[in-house]
């Protein structure tokens, strides 16, 4: 498979994944009702299921996956570490503490989102402050700061799980595995996604030059501090928007960028949009499977993701050099 | 317009590399920077490129401290070939060389024809035309060094600073590289090269900066500095000096 064919496949996956997410679910509408509903006609119930229930969730799944994948791309080049993912900065950890505390207190829906946002923003603020204080040069220290924060949040999460009454436990576990069932409007996340992609593309060639080292990048005309700062804030913002929408979905941010690199996409101008397309499609598909496989049960999207995505990575590892 | 060190002092923890260095590079000049290991050759070049803050003094370009230039503005005027670079670049040799045009903004989705032409010419100039599509990281050490020179040619700054540009190059490519670089000076650019071979300096450079161990320096015309006595003092060994057909050679005799 050539690179352009791969790029085309990734881009085509977006409409296919979204169409599948609209067409499939716990209720089997059948083609006769689904077709007209997809086109905006048909009976009112089918239309409400497709556009009122499934569409927001499909776009929320897509947005969160795309945001996490782009955040992964940015963090991996920024920290010069292929294993970096949105989790390393402690942002998902902060969101988890906020969300679980809210669930523990009996909150649902928008309150949980607000609490997740507060936790994520708090963690992101701490890491950005630490990075700004340390200067952008010492990447290891920023990374270790994030790791330390993540460890603290992880410990708090464990304590909350241990102390939680059985009634709240399932909701908490689902949030930790990634949960789109209570995702609100995807619009803010889609706006953040558009901004983050625009920023990443604007600094794309400069991110490429960072691979040559700080001094070389500077001598080629890159304001390294500004580029790193922009990438860092974009990654943090993307992570915050994703985790408040969908909970702590793991895997996407780490694996999607790496899989695309294995196929041969490295230049950030192309890697960033493709990561958004692939990450978004992957989460949309995983969430659709989670909804449609065993209705009325919903399977956690994070688990499906790993089950679908990890074999893809293994195949790529085996087939590429 | 000139690139100048003004009372430039560079320190690393526990050591002063150069103390109150004064010298001035003018367009069209070819400078050799010579000195023993650790004398501060790389640090002086990095400071000239605005990549290292002096302990005191300044580097000025056209009378204005380089620290006051924007990175992009500076990149079109001063370029540097560093001694070390992380080998983590993922693209083809052509991708690598094209990054030289970053300051010109020639790195978008659509290839800029001017940049493509410059990149092709630069690759041909360093004899890598046949390797344009090869992944950069699979090039040999010498080929990689030539790709780095080609990237600097695409950047096309007025002042080219090169830290040991001939490292890893075979004899033919050493000659081709240094002749090509020296020829750039004929077209109004200035070349400053850290070298280890006094005979190359004597043959291709018109000015020399000698950096001694003791943070002292001499700067001036090559014919007065590239002689047996100053070089013996510089390297701390006994040399012979031959002159044949106007070329000077300095074979070492003993330490």
């Amino acid at each position: 498979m050539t690179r352009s064919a791969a790029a085309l496949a990734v881009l085509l996956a977006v409409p296919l994944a979204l169409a599948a997410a609209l067409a499939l679910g716990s209720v089997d509408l059948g083609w006769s009702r689904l077709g007209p509903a997809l086109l905006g006609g048909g009976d009112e119930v089918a239309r409400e299921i497709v556009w009122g229930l499934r569409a927001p969730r499909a776009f929320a799944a897509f947005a969160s996956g795309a945001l996490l994948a782009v955040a992964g791309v940015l963090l991996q080049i920024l920290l010069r570490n292929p294993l970096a993912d949105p989790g390393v900065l402690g942002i998902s950890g902060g969101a988890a503490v906020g969300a679980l505390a809210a669930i523990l207190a009996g909150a649902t829906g928008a309150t949980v989102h607000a609490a997740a946002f507060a936790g994520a923003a708090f963690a992101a603020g701490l890491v950005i402050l630490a990075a700004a204080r340390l200067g952008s040069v010492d990447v290891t220290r920023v990374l270790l700061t994030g790791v330390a924060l993540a460890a603290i949040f992880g410990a708090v999460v464990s304590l909350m799980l241990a102390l939680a009454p059985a009634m709240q436990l399932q909701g908490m576990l689902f949030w930790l595995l990634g949960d789109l069932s209570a995702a609100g409007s995807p619009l803010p996340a889609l706006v953040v996604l558009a901004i983050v992609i625009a920023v990443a593309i604007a600094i794309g060639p400069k991110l490429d030059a960072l691979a040559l080292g700080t001094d070389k990048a500077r001598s080629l005309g890159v304001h390294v501090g500004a580029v790193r700062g922009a990438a860092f804030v974009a990654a943090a913002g993307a992570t915050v928007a994703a985790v408040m929408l969908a909970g702590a979905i793991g895997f996407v941010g780490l694996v999607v960028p790496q899989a695309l690199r294995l196929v041969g996409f490295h230049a950030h101008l192309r890697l960033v949009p493709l990561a958004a397309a692939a990450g978004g499609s992957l989460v949309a598909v995983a969430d659709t499977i989670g909804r449609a496989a065993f209705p009325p049960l919903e399977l956690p999207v994070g688990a499906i993701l790993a089950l679908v995505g990890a074999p893809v990575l293994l195949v790529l590892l085996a087939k590429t050099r | 317009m000139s690139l100048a060190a003004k009372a430039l002092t560079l320190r690393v923890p526990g050591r002063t590399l150069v103390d109150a260095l004064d010298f001035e590079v003018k367009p069209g000049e070819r400078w050799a920077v010579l000195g023993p290991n650790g004398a501060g050759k790389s640090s002086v070049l990095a400071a000239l490129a605005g990549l290292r803050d002096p302990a005191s003094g300044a580097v000025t370009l056209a009378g204005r401290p380089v620290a006051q230039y924007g990175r992009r503005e500076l990149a079109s005027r001063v370029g540097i070939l560093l001694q070390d670079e992380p080998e983590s670049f993922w693209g083809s040799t052509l991708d690598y060389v094209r990054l030289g045009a970053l300051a010109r903004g020639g790195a978008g989705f659509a290839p800029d024809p001017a940049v493509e032409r410059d990149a092709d010419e630069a690759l041909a100039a360093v004899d890598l035309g046949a390797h344009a599509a090869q992944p950069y990281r699979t090039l040999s050490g010498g080929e990689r060094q030539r790709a780095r020179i080609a990237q600097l040619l695409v950047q096309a700054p007025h002042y080219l600073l090169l830290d040991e540009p001939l490292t890893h190059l075979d004899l033919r490519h050493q000659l081709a590289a240094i002749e090509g670089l020296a020829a750039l000076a004929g077209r109004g650019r200035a070349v400053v090269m850290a070298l280890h071979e006094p005979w190359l300096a004597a043959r291709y450079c018109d000015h020399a900066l000698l950096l001694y161990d003791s943070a002292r320096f001499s700067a001036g015309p090559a014919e007065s500095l590239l002689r047996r006595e100053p070089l013996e003092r510089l390297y701390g060994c006994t040399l012979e000096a031959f002159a044949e057909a106007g070329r000077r050679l300095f074979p070492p005799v003993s330490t």
Side-chain angles (χ1 to χ4, degrees), chain A residues 47-117:
Chain A
R47 217 163 52 227
E48 175 56 24
I49 287 177
V50 169
W51 293 108
L53 295 175
R54 288 180 187 168
R57 182 155 173 177
F59 284 108
F62 181 86
S64 56
L67 284 164
L68 290 170
V70 175
V73 169
L74 292 175
L75 289 170
Q76 284 156 19
I77 179 78
L78 211 51
L79 304 177
R80 290 225 207 134
N81 186 334
L83 293 181
D85 80 347
V88 296
L89 294 183
I91 294 175
S92 0
V97 169
L100 296 205
I103 297 174
L104 202 55
T108 51
T111 319
V112 176
H113 290 307
F117 174 76

Side-chain angles (χ1 to χ4, degrees), chain A residues 188-283:
Chain A
L190 287 171
V191 171
V192 173
L193 178 62
I195 295 172
V196 166
I197 290 179
V199 168
I201 285 178
I203 60 174
K206 293 171 184 152
L207 291 173
D208 295 350
L210 285 186
L212 309 185
T214 305
D215 274 348
K216 187 76 225 191
R218 284 207 174 103
S219 80
L220 288 172
V222 177
H223 194 321
V224 171
V227 168
R228 283 215 183 114
F232 199 74
V233 171
T239 309
V240 171
V243 294
M244 83 167 273
L245 197 63
I249 298 182
F251 190 78
V252 189
L254 172 65
V255 164
V256 166
Q258 287 308 332
L260 288 168
R261 289 195 183 99
L262 282 174
V263 183
F265 297 105
H266 293 279
H268 288 85
L269 275 182
R270 288 175 179 77
L271 181 58
V272 164
L274 288 176
S281 309
L282 194 62
V283 174

Side-chain angles (χ1 to χ4, degrees), chain B residues 181-201:
Chain B
L181 291 168
L184 286 175
R187 281 172 255 151
R189 303 193 185 274
V191 180
V192 184
M193 294 180 272
L195 295 171
H196 274 303
E197 299 284 352
W199 73 270
L200 283 171

Side-chain angles (χ1 to χ4, degrees), chain B residues 221-232:
Chain B
E223 62 265 31
S224 60
L225 286 175
L226 299 180
R227 304 163 70 87
R228 192 164 62 91
E229 302 77 30
L231 289 173
E232 283 185 334

Side-chain angles (χ1 to χ4, degrees), chain B residues 23-81:
Chain B
F23 80 113
E24 184 178 4
V25 181
K26 296 200 185 80
E29 290 181 347
R30 301 183 299 264
W31 281 75
V33 181
L34 299 177
N37 296 148
K41 300 183 292 294
S42 300
S43 298
V44 166
L45 289 181
L48 287 177
L51 296 175
R52 176 181 285 247
D53 293 331
S56 65
V59 172
T60 62
L61 175 65
R64 195 170 132 215
V66 287
Q68 287 178 12
Y69 283 79
R71 282 286 162 209
R72 212 165 147 166
E73 199 185 1
L74 194 59
S76 64
R77 293 163 174 81
V78 182
I80 186 167
L81 178 87

Side-chain angles (χ1 to χ4, degrees), chain A residues 201 204-206 208 269, chain B residues 98-99 101-102 104-112 115:
Chain A
I201 285 178
K206 293 171 184 152
D208 295 350
L269 275 182
Chain B
R98 251 194 224 125
L99 280 178
L102 202 59
R104 284 193 256 160
F109 281 105
D112 176 339
V115 171

